[in-house]
Amino acid sequence: MPNDQLSATFAALADPTRRAILKKLTRGQKTVSELAAPFQMTLPAISKHLKVLAKAGLIERSRDAQWRPCRLRAAPLKQASHWIELYREFWEERLDRLDDYLKKLQSKENDRVAGK
Amino acid sequence: MPNDQLSATFAALADPTRRAILKKLTRGQKTVSELAAPFQMTLPAISKHLKVLAKAGLIERSRDAQWRPCRLRAAPLKQASHWIELYREFWEERLDRLDDYLKKLQSKENDRVAGK
């Protein structure tokens, strides 16, 4: 298992339960029980997911021994976003080709109207 | 292992060799040998990575039995980008706070100059 930050971030995101936990934390800090409630999972199962998220730096657990709420740390997502954005031109390529085609059509129509 | 598209995409990206393969394919289609060359990996090891990328829909292998070049398919990255972008406000939060602080400073300085 590679242990670079970007790999850890993507590995942490590669699970729907972990993504749902992050989404829940966008509405503020939560206890482990609050996070576990909607998933019908045991606390140990949720704790395992929280460990993966914490190791990737995507959540932070308070030191308060009684309550230990989790909160979102989105900083690693910035690097992940930068990596993915380098590929934007490739997923938009088809759209660009369509755009070029429509521009050509428009240009021909303009020439026709201008009597060229 | 969850088998939804977003999880498959993130899992495929959670490895530096696979990310390097995708980067290489941004410069055009390549054979497996061409892809394997810089990694000092065996062809079976590279083939395993290619299978993960193909299963996630991030590469496509030509049907040409002789040569079978791989090419990039960036479409799944669009969905991954959309997911990550929902968190942008959270990783930019600190920067926003700094921005607010600088604006307040500037506003005070403007008031001082205007003799308010």
Side-chain angles (χ1 to χ4, degrees), chain B residues 10 14 18 27 31 39 43 55 65 67 78 81 85 87 106-107:
Chain B
F10 284 134
R18 290 198 289 271
R27 297 194 292 275
T31 63
F39 297 114
L43 285 185
K55 215 174 161 192
W67 196 54
K78 185 177 182 175
S81 167
E85 284 307 306
Y87 293 81
Q106 185 62 51
S107 158

Side-chain angles (χ1 to χ4, degrees), chain B:
Chain B
M1 187 71 181
N3 62 0
D4 63 285
Q5 176 61 57
L6 202 47
S7 297
T9 304
F10 284 134
L13 299 182
D15 182 279
T17 304
R18 290 198 289 271
R19 292 197 301 275
I21 289 171
L22 293 179
K23 196 174 176 190
K24 250 197 137 186
L25 292 175
T26 61
R27 297 194 292 275
Q29 54 183 13
K30 305 267 180 237
T31 63
V32 177
S33 311
E34 284 173 321
L35 287 173
F39 297 114
Q40 303 185 309
M41 270 188 179
T42 61
L43 285 185
I46 286 290
S47 289
K48 214 172 152 187
H49 282 310
L50 294 178
K51 263 185 200 158
V52 175
L53 290 168
K55 215 174 161 192
L58 287 162
I59 64 167
E60 213 169 45
R61 295 196 63 182
S62 156
R63 297 273 173 200
D64 175 352
Q66 281 301 100
W67 196 54
R68 300 206 68 204
C70 299
R71 58 192 196 90
L72 181 67
R73 276 195 66 232
L77 296 178
K78 185 177 182 175
Q79 185 196 18
S81 167
H82 280 175
W83 187 89
I84 290 182
E85 284 307 306
L86 297 175
Y87 293 81
R88 175 176 289 276
E89 61 175 305
F90 295 96
W91 78 67
E92 282 181 344
E93 203 180 320
R94 282 187 197 198
L95 213 59
D96 287 348
R97 280 194 209 136
L98 179 64
D99 196 37
D100 283 346
Y101 176 65
L102 292 174
K103 272 182 196 151
K104 261 185 213 155
L105 275 190
Q106 185 62 51
S107 158
K108 272 189 192 165
E109 176 64 9
N110 290 349
D111 286 354
R112 199 187 58 76
V113 170
K116 280 184 199 167

Side-chain angles (χ1 to χ4, degrees), chain A residues 1-50:
Chain A
M1 187 70 182
N3 62 1
D4 62 285
Q5 175 61 56
L6 202 48
S7 297
T9 304
F10 284 135
L13 299 181
D15 182 279
T17 304
R18 290 197 290 270
R19 292 196 302 277
I21 289 171
L22 293 179
K23 196 174 176 190
K24 248 196 138 189
L25 292 175
T26 61
R27 297 193 293 275
Q29 56 183 13
K30 305 266 181 236
T31 62
V32 177
S33 311
E34 283 172 323
L35 288 172
F39 297 114
Q40 302 184 309
M41 270 187 178
T42 61
L43 285 184
I46 285 291
S47 289
K48 214 172 152 185
H49 282 309
L50 293 179

Side-chain angles (χ1 to χ4, degrees), chain A residues 5 79 83 85:
Chain A
Q5 175 61 56
Q79 184 196 18
W83 188 90
E85 284 307 305

Side-chain angles (χ1 to χ4, degrees), chain A residues 4 6 11 46 50 60 65 67 70 72 78 80 85 94 104-105 112-113:
Chain A
D4 62 285
L6 202 48
I46 285 291
L50 293 179
E60 214 169 46
W67 196 54
C70 299
L72 181 65
K78 185 176 182 175
E85 284 307 305
R94 283 186 194 201
K104 262 185 212 154
L105 273 190
R112 198 187 61 75
V113 170

